[in-house]
Amino acid sequence: MAKITYIEHCGKSHVVEVATGQTVMEGARDNGIPGIEADCGGACACSTCHVYVDGAWLDRLPAKAMLEEDMLDFAHEPDPERSRLTCQITVTEALDGLVVRMPERQI
Ligand code: FES
């Protein structure tokens, strides 16, 4: 399990425990957290699971694959450093404490 903090664009924060092996997107979806839509169900084909990763975590996440980089071009106001697609981040114990912020809207 890893404790993950999801912060909505309005500033409302949700702290949940997510099982290892799930994705950060699944952790939001399964806990009913608004702001991550995940229209494609995690296939890296929609970019509606976009978040901005807290600066302290940027170097601690696995690198983006080419497909994720490409799909981020379709996200709402992507940031080259901080933007990630949550369906492409698998939760491990090392991600305990991760903080992500939702964009103003998805696409
Ligand atoms: Fe569609 Fe992540 S859920 S790209």
Side-chain angles (χ1 to χ4, degrees), residues 23 25 36-50 67-68 71-72 84-88:
T23 65
M25 177 277 280
I36 293 179
E37 297 170 7
D39 290 343
C40 76
C44 201
C46 72
S47 81
T48 63
C49 63
H50 171 217
L67 182 59
E68 183 182 353
M71 282 310 301
L72 277 168
R84 293 298 302 257
L85 295 179
T86 49
C87 71
Q88 300 304 300

Side-chain angles (χ1 to χ4, degrees), residues 53-61 82 97-99 101:
V53 173
D54 185 82
W57 284 88
L58 290 177
D59 295 338
R60 297 158 73 178
L61 293 180
R82 298 178 300 128
L98 176 67
V99 178
R101 292 180 170 78

